[in-house]
Short mmCIF file of all heavy atoms in Angstrom, two decimals:
data_model
loop_
_atom_site.label_atom_id
_atom_site.label_comp_id
_atom_site.label_asym_id
_atom_site.label_seq_id
_atom_site.Cartn_x
_atom_site.Cartn_y
_atom_site.Cartn_z
N SER A 27 -64.47 -110.59 16.07
CA SER A 27 -64.22 -112.00 15.82
C SER A 27 -63.43 -112.14 14.52
O SER A 27 -63.25 -111.17 13.78
CB SER A 27 -65.54 -112.78 15.73
OG SER A 27 -66.34 -112.30 14.67
N ARG A 28 -62.94 -113.34 14.25
CA ARG A 28 -62.17 -113.55 13.03
C ARG A 28 -62.37 -114.96 12.51
O ARG A 28 -62.70 -115.89 13.26
CB ARG A 28 -60.68 -113.28 13.26
CG ARG A 28 -60.01 -114.21 14.26
CD ARG A 28 -58.61 -113.70 14.63
NE ARG A 28 -57.66 -113.88 13.54
CZ ARG A 28 -56.43 -113.37 13.53
NH1 ARG A 28 -56.01 -112.62 14.54
NH2 ARG A 28 -55.62 -113.59 12.50
N ASP A 29 -62.17 -115.10 11.22
CA ASP A 29 -62.21 -116.38 10.54
C ASP A 29 -60.87 -116.53 9.85
O ASP A 29 -60.64 -115.95 8.79
CB ASP A 29 -63.36 -116.44 9.54
CG ASP A 29 -63.52 -117.81 8.91
OD1 ASP A 29 -62.55 -118.58 8.86
OD2 ASP A 29 -64.64 -118.11 8.45
N ASN A 30 -59.98 -117.29 10.46
CA ASN A 30 -58.62 -117.41 9.93
C ASN A 30 -58.58 -118.08 8.56
O ASN A 30 -57.71 -117.79 7.74
CB ASN A 30 -57.73 -118.17 10.91
CG ASN A 30 -57.45 -117.37 12.17
OD1 ASN A 30 -57.48 -116.14 12.15
ND2 ASN A 30 -57.18 -118.06 13.26
N ALA A 31 -59.51 -118.99 8.30
CA ALA A 31 -59.55 -119.66 7.00
C ALA A 31 -59.90 -118.69 5.88
O ALA A 31 -59.53 -118.90 4.73
CB ALA A 31 -60.55 -120.80 7.03
N LYS A 32 -60.62 -117.62 6.22
CA LYS A 32 -61.02 -116.62 5.24
C LYS A 32 -60.19 -115.34 5.32
O LYS A 32 -60.44 -114.40 4.56
CB LYS A 32 -62.49 -116.27 5.41
CG LYS A 32 -63.44 -117.43 5.16
CD LYS A 32 -64.88 -117.00 5.33
CE LYS A 32 -65.83 -118.15 5.05
NZ LYS A 32 -67.24 -117.76 5.23
N ASN A 33 -59.21 -115.30 6.24
CA ASN A 33 -58.40 -114.10 6.44
C ASN A 33 -59.27 -112.87 6.64
O ASN A 33 -59.01 -111.80 6.08
CB ASN A 33 -57.44 -113.89 5.27
CG ASN A 33 -56.32 -114.90 5.23
OD1 ASN A 33 -55.92 -115.44 6.26
ND2 ASN A 33 -55.80 -115.16 4.05
N THR A 34 -60.29 -113.02 7.46
CA THR A 34 -61.27 -111.98 7.65
C THR A 34 -61.51 -111.71 9.13
O THR A 34 -61.58 -112.65 9.93
CB THR A 34 -62.60 -112.35 6.98
OG1 THR A 34 -62.38 -112.52 5.57
CG2 THR A 34 -63.64 -111.26 7.17
N VAL A 35 -61.65 -110.44 9.48
CA VAL A 35 -62.00 -110.03 10.82
C VAL A 35 -63.31 -109.26 10.76
O VAL A 35 -63.58 -108.56 9.79
CB VAL A 35 -60.88 -109.19 11.47
CG1 VAL A 35 -60.64 -107.89 10.71
CG2 VAL A 35 -61.19 -108.89 12.94
N TYR A 36 -64.12 -109.41 11.81
CA TYR A 36 -65.43 -108.78 11.87
C TYR A 36 -65.55 -107.91 13.11
O TYR A 36 -64.89 -108.13 14.11
CB TYR A 36 -66.54 -109.84 11.91
CG TYR A 36 -66.49 -110.85 10.80
CD1 TYR A 36 -65.83 -112.06 10.98
CD2 TYR A 36 -67.09 -110.60 9.57
CE1 TYR A 36 -65.77 -113.00 9.96
CE2 TYR A 36 -67.04 -111.53 8.55
CZ TYR A 36 -66.38 -112.72 8.75
OH TYR A 36 -66.32 -113.65 7.74
N LEU A 37 -66.43 -106.94 13.02
CA LEU A 37 -66.80 -106.14 14.18
C LEU A 37 -68.32 -106.01 14.20
O LEU A 37 -68.90 -105.29 13.38
CB LEU A 37 -66.15 -104.75 14.13
CG LEU A 37 -66.37 -103.89 15.38
CD1 LEU A 37 -65.62 -104.50 16.57
CD2 LEU A 37 -65.91 -102.46 15.14
N GLN A 38 -68.94 -106.74 15.12
CA GLN A 38 -70.38 -106.64 15.32
C GLN A 38 -70.65 -105.50 16.27
O GLN A 38 -70.20 -105.52 17.42
CB GLN A 38 -70.94 -107.95 15.88
CG GLN A 38 -72.43 -107.93 16.15
CD GLN A 38 -73.25 -107.82 14.89
OE1 GLN A 38 -72.99 -108.51 13.91
NE2 GLN A 38 -74.25 -106.94 14.90
N MET A 39 -71.40 -104.51 15.82
CA MET A 39 -71.67 -103.31 16.60
C MET A 39 -73.15 -103.25 16.92
O MET A 39 -73.98 -103.06 16.02
CB MET A 39 -71.22 -102.06 15.85
CG MET A 39 -69.76 -102.09 15.42
SD MET A 39 -69.23 -100.54 14.64
CE MET A 39 -70.25 -100.57 13.16
N ASN A 40 -73.48 -103.41 18.19
CA ASN A 40 -74.86 -103.35 18.65
C ASN A 40 -75.08 -102.11 19.50
O ASN A 40 -74.13 -101.50 20.00
CB ASN A 40 -75.21 -104.60 19.47
CG ASN A 40 -75.12 -105.87 18.68
OD1 ASN A 40 -75.38 -105.90 17.47
ND2 ASN A 40 -74.75 -106.97 19.35
N SER A 41 -76.33 -101.74 19.68
CA SER A 41 -76.70 -100.59 20.51
C SER A 41 -75.88 -99.36 20.15
O SER A 41 -75.33 -98.68 21.02
CB SER A 41 -76.53 -100.93 21.99
OG SER A 41 -77.33 -102.05 22.36
N LEU A 42 -75.82 -99.07 18.88
CA LEU A 42 -74.98 -97.97 18.41
C LEU A 42 -75.46 -96.63 18.95
O LEU A 42 -76.66 -96.39 19.11
CB LEU A 42 -74.96 -97.95 16.89
CG LEU A 42 -74.03 -98.99 16.26
CD1 LEU A 42 -74.36 -99.20 14.80
CD2 LEU A 42 -72.57 -98.56 16.42
N LYS A 43 -74.50 -95.77 19.23
CA LYS A 43 -74.74 -94.44 19.76
C LYS A 43 -74.20 -93.39 18.79
O LYS A 43 -73.27 -93.68 18.03
CB LYS A 43 -74.06 -94.27 21.12
CG LYS A 43 -74.44 -95.30 22.16
CD LYS A 43 -73.61 -95.12 23.42
CE LYS A 43 -73.98 -96.13 24.47
NZ LYS A 43 -73.15 -95.99 25.70
N PRO A 44 -74.72 -92.17 18.83
CA PRO A 44 -74.19 -91.13 17.96
C PRO A 44 -72.68 -90.92 18.12
O PRO A 44 -72.00 -90.62 17.13
CB PRO A 44 -74.96 -89.88 18.38
CG PRO A 44 -76.27 -90.41 18.85
CD PRO A 44 -75.93 -91.71 19.55
N GLU A 45 -72.16 -91.11 19.32
CA GLU A 45 -70.73 -90.94 19.54
C GLU A 45 -69.88 -92.04 18.90
O GLU A 45 -68.65 -91.95 18.90
CB GLU A 45 -70.41 -90.83 21.04
CG GLU A 45 -71.01 -91.94 21.88
CD GLU A 45 -72.31 -91.52 22.56
OE1 GLU A 45 -73.17 -90.92 21.87
OE2 GLU A 45 -72.46 -91.77 23.76
N ASP A 46 -70.51 -93.08 18.36
CA ASP A 46 -69.79 -94.10 17.61
C ASP A 46 -69.52 -93.67 16.18
O ASP A 46 -68.81 -94.37 15.45
CB ASP A 46 -70.58 -95.42 17.59
CG ASP A 46 -70.72 -96.04 18.96
OD1 ASP A 46 -69.74 -96.03 19.74
OD2 ASP A 46 -71.82 -96.55 19.27
N THR A 47 -70.09 -92.56 15.76
CA THR A 47 -69.89 -92.07 14.40
C THR A 47 -68.41 -91.79 14.14
O THR A 47 -67.77 -91.04 14.88
CB THR A 47 -70.70 -90.79 14.17
OG1 THR A 47 -72.10 -91.10 14.26
CG2 THR A 47 -70.41 -90.21 12.80
N ALA A 48 -67.88 -92.41 13.10
CA ALA A 48 -66.47 -92.29 12.77
C ALA A 48 -66.17 -93.07 11.50
O ALA A 48 -67.01 -93.84 11.02
CB ALA A 48 -65.59 -92.82 13.91
N VAL A 49 -64.98 -92.88 10.98
CA VAL A 49 -64.45 -93.78 9.97
C VAL A 49 -63.75 -94.92 10.69
O VAL A 49 -62.89 -94.67 11.54
CB VAL A 49 -63.48 -93.07 9.01
CG1 VAL A 49 -62.89 -94.06 8.01
CG2 VAL A 49 -64.18 -91.94 8.28
N TYR A 50 -64.12 -96.13 10.36
CA TYR A 50 -63.56 -97.31 11.01
C TYR A 50 -62.52 -97.95 10.10
O TYR A 50 -62.78 -98.21 8.93
CB TYR A 50 -64.66 -98.31 11.35
CG TYR A 50 -65.47 -97.91 12.55
CD1 TYR A 50 -66.34 -96.83 12.49
CD2 TYR A 50 -65.37 -98.60 13.76
CE1 TYR A 50 -67.07 -96.43 13.60
CE2 TYR A 50 -66.09 -98.22 14.87
CZ TYR A 50 -66.94 -97.13 14.78
OH TYR A 50 -67.67 -96.75 15.89
#
């Protein structure tokens, strides 16, 4: 999602798995 007024983008990550391990 993003908030254009704040120039910010978000990534909500649920049900995380070991294979999600990384530098984002």
